[in-house]
Amino acid sequence: CKAWWMLRATARGRWLRDDAMRKPVAVGMAVGRSSRMDAKVAAVKKEVKVGGDFETRGLFCAEEIAELRHRLLAWYDVNHRILPWRKNPHSKRSDRDAGPPPPEDKSDFAYCVWVSEVMLQQTRVETVKAYYTRWMEAYPTLADLAEADLERVNELWAGLGYYRRARFLLEGARHVRDKCGGRMPGEVEELHKIPGIGMYTASAIASIAFGRRAGVVDGNVIRVLSRLRALAGDPRAPANTKLHWRLSNSVVDADRPGCFNQALMELGATVCTPKAPKCGECPARAQCLALRRQEEWGADSEGGPSVTDFPEKVKKKPPRMETIRCCVLVVTSEGRGHFLLIKRPDKGLLAGLWEFPNVPVGAKTEEEGSKPPRGREELVGLLGEILEGGSLEAFTGKGAQKLKEVGSFEHVFSHIKQTTIVDVCSLQVDAKAFGTLSEMQGPRETRLVPVDSKEGVASLSTGVRKAIRLYSGLGKKASVSRKNKKKEGKAEADKSQRRLDQFFGKGARVKDEE
């Protein structure tokens, strides 16, 4: 098996790349190989056509592939994590039957794998478990999901982030219902045609649910393969991306492709970790060129090669900085408060989700201490539009001073670091005015969520919940103040109320958030 490059010691004991010398490398093979392993090696040679292009570009020889498959699957059967979407008939874990088993029907199982794989993108396994369970309780089959509405889907997804993943799941389920007869296809190419399913997800579903021999490439797999073969260069570069797919497709086990792919990802997630790999526990350490490179340098030498040199660290582009000002507007009627939310556009960041009214805020200026604060006038104008009340006393003229800033928070998206400045304001209305507000059809769709509804608040996005926490902290301070100074608090509340006769009638009032 030919390697791209070999490592040699110089006079100083350093390792240098020598492209001119490409010698066969075979590691980790027992001297006395069993006939069963010989048969596996022969099968691998037939699969990958050793001697052709594979041997010059794949960096694995047939013996290494056979050994890697054998050791990795044996390790996986003993050490795999128990997950609600996973099944392994070869498991040797005593607690493998914990929890309800995944469905036996391949199409139904493929749906479970699909949901889990989408949730696991950019999200930790421990976080996904609870979300997956709630999702399957709400939509146990693909047919159930296909009939769902986007708002309910987003509510179940709240807190996982990357909300377009939820939208793609819904669109994909409807595609399977309408174009595939309601059954998940079993081939990678057909799965790839479903909206929102990329090559990785298609390969994962095909191998895990349908037993198709297809490799997978995700962050964990890239890290493991990069270390096994000591692959230099940016792992995101097109040439390296193609190489990782070639490697993955070459090493995947023909008899147990789903288990092998999960084993490779499990190894990256639990053993071959980014910063502190547990090389002593790794079943593939005999095939690891990065580890061999580190050991030959010597453990006592500082500044030498390390397993963690691979894959190459690539500096990420810094996120774009943005600032917005939002208003936590609480509409109270008959003693119960409701948060007023507006719906985001159906396309773009956080498409179709609910949020507090907000406006972008410009950069700070030398007159930062001047009034009104940055973005306040624009926010007041937006509130007037939403409430269809440009003449509302509370949101025009001097009424703009009645919004109170309570703090700010930062929220990081994949490419944006957003600072949100939070204003608060309360609007008290009678039952008739509340009904009118509930049914308003303004420039944007509005929604009223009860302040005391834990389920309603929990269904909102992380950014909205951060703003609510700031509001809730203010309410606690205010309650202490009113407890000590009841009369003073009542007088201040009465003083801050404003009539809204032109819009809501004589029963409506606005007050400051104390």
Side-chain angles (χ1 to χ4, degrees):
C1 140
K2 296 180 181 178
W4 277 76
W5 51 273
M6 65 173 292
L7 303 171
R8 64 185 179 87
T10 64
R12 294 182 179 181
R14 293 184 178 275
W15 291 96
L16 298 177
R17 179 173 177 174
D18 188 355
D19 289 322
M21 300 178 65
R22 295 178 179 175
K23 296 182 178 180
V25 177
V27 292
M29 297 302 298
V31 176
R33 201 165 57 195
S34 67
S35 58
R36 183 177 179 183
M37 184 59 69
D38 286 335
K40 290 183 177 182
V41 172
V44 170
K45 288 183 177 180
K46 185 177 180 181
E47 289 172 18
V48 300
K49 299 179 181 178
V50 172
D53 181 63
F54 169 79
E55 197 168 64
T56 60
R57 288 287 293 165
L59 304 182
F60 280 107
C61 64
E63 288 81 0
E64 287 179 307
I65 292 175
E67 185 80 0
L68 179 63
R69 291 175 180 177
H70 172 72
R71 291 185 179 278
L72 192 54
L73 285 172
W75 170 85
Y76 177 71
D77 291 342
V78 175
N79 296 281
H80 70 83
R81 289 172 291 183
I82 303 296
L83 302 172
W85 53 83
R86 174 177 286 171
K87 61 180 178 181
N88 178 11
H90 302 273
S91 176
K92 293 179 173 59
R93 289 197 54 164
S94 59
D95 56 347
R96 62 184 181 274
D97 296 326
E104 293 297 327
D105 180 83
K106 289 186 177 181
S107 178
D108 292 342
F109 182 39
Y111 167 66
C112 297
V113 174
W114 180 20
V115 172
S116 68
E117 289 296 339
V118 173
M119 287 186 171
L120 286 167
Q121 295 169 15
Q122 307 294 327
T123 311
R124 295 174 60 86
V125 169
E126 292 305 315
T127 301
V128 168
K129 286 181 181 179
Y131 279 91
Y132 176 85
T133 300
R134 287 196 297 269
W135 182 281
M136 286 302 168
E137 289 173 352
Y139 308 119
T141 67
L142 186 145
D144 294 320
L145 176 59
E147 298 299 325
D149 63 88
L150 181 58
E151 185 171 324
R152 175 56 180 156
V153 167
N154 282 335
E155 288 178 358
L156 283 174
W157 200 269
L160 270 178
Y162 299 92
Y163 286 85
R164 67 176 182 174
R165 295 181 295 171
R167 186 174 74 252
F168 281 144
L169 272 174
L170 178 57
E171 293 175 359
R174 291 172 177 172
H175 175 92
V176 174
R177 179 194 62 189
D178 300 335
K179 305 293 185 181
C180 305
R183 302 279 297 174
M184 291 286 290
E187 301 298 332
V188 174
E189 295 77 11
E190 294 302 314
L191 287 163
H192 198 196
K193 295 177 183 178
I194 299 174
I197 292 186
M199 184 55 67
Y200 161 76
T201 306
S203 300
I205 296 172
S207 62
I208 297 172
F210 296 99
R212 300 292 190 268
R213 187 174 180 271
V216 297
V217 173
D218 71 346
N220 287 319
V221 173
I222 288 173
R223 183 166 58 257
V224 171
L225 293 177
S226 294
R227 291 173 177 175
L228 287 179
R229 299 295 88 184
L231 298 176
D234 182 354
R236 300 176 301 181
N240 279 339
T241 298
K242 291 180 181 179
L243 178 56
H244 282 111
W245 275 104
R246 181 188 293 270
L247 285 170
S248 178
N249 282 317
S250 68
V251 299
V252 63
D253 189 80
D255 297 324
R256 298 177 59 191
C259 285
F260 183 87
N261 284 335
Q262 291 178 94
L264 202 58
M265 293 185 283
E266 194 90 332
L267 185 70
T270 62
V271 176
C272 193
T273 54
K275 295 182 179 180
K278 305 170 186 175
C279 298
E281 302 176 15
C282 181
R285 59 184 175 275
Q287 286 81 27
C288 185
L289 295 183
L291 178 61
R292 186 182 180 198
R293 176 175 176 259
Q294 174 181 292
E295 290 176 339
E296 291 184 357
W297 176 277
D300 297 331
S301 300
E302 296 183 1
S306 170
V307 170
T308 57
D309 292 342
F310 304 96
E312 183 177 307
K313 279 75 172 175
V314 181
K315 190 175 181 180
K316 294 182 179 179
K317 183 179 178 180
R320 185 173 74 250
M321 309 299 289
E322 287 187 357
T323 302
I324 64 172
R325 180 179 289 274
C326 79
C327 179
V328 178
L329 178 58
V330 180
V331 180
T332 302
S333 178
E334 298 183 341
R336 192 179 190 191
H338 295 72
F339 293 119
L340 176 68
L341 304 172
I342 60 174
K343 195 173 186 179
R344 290 185 61 86
D346 292 332
K347 294 183 179 180
L349 183 68
L350 303 177
L353 298 185
W354 296 97
E355 64 181 1
F356 289 117
N358 66 84
V359 295
V361 174
K364 292 183 178 181
T365 63
E366 294 181 0
E367 294 83 20
E368 185 63 25
S370 62
K371 294 184 178 181
R374 292 180 299 149
R376 175 66 61 77
E377 291 182 343
E378 293 81 359
L379 182 58
V380 167
L382 175 61
L383 291 171
E385 292 177 11
I386 293 171
L387 296 173
E388 296 182 350
S391 61
L392 290 179
E393 184 180 352
F395 298 112
T396 56
K398 295 182 179 180
Q401 304 302 319
K402 296 306 172 183
L403 275 72
K404 181 175 181 179
E405 183 176 322
V406 295
S408 64
F409 64 87
E410 289 185 348
H411 191 68
V412 181
F413 300 95
S414 58
H415 59 293
I416 299 173
K417 185 175 183 180
Q418 189 179 81
T419 299
T420 301
I421 305 169
V422 180
D423 287 341
V424 297
C425 184
S426 289
L427 181 68
Q428 292 189 348
V429 300
D430 59 19
K432 181 179 179 181
F434 181 80
T436 303
L437 181 59
S438 302
E439 299 171 359
M440 288 176 60
Q441 297 294 326
R444 297 186 184 181
E445 188 176 348
T446 59
R447 176 187 179 190
L448 292 172
V449 175
V451 172
D452 58 0
S453 172
K454 292 183 179 181
E455 181 179 352
V457 171
S459 69
L460 302 174
S461 66
T462 302
V464 174
R465 296 203 304 272
K466 287 182 178 179
I468 291 175
R469 281 197 289 271
L470 280 176
Y471 163 82
S472 300
L474 176 71
K476 291 178 182 178
K477 293 179 182 178
S479 64
V480 173
S481 176
R482 284 193 295 270
K483 182 177 181 180
N484 296 333
K485 300 181 180 180
K486 293 182 180 179
K487 293 183 179 181
E488 182 180 348
K490 185 177 184 301
E492 288 297 323
D494 291 339
K495 183 178 179 180
S496 67
Q497 291 170 355
R498 295 291 182 270
R499 308 290 292 187
L500 301 178
D501 296 349
Q502 289 183 328
F503 181 72
F504 291 114
K506 297 182 179 180
R509 299 178 296 181
V510 162
K511 70 172 182 178
D512 286 337
E513 196 66 46
E514 295 179 322

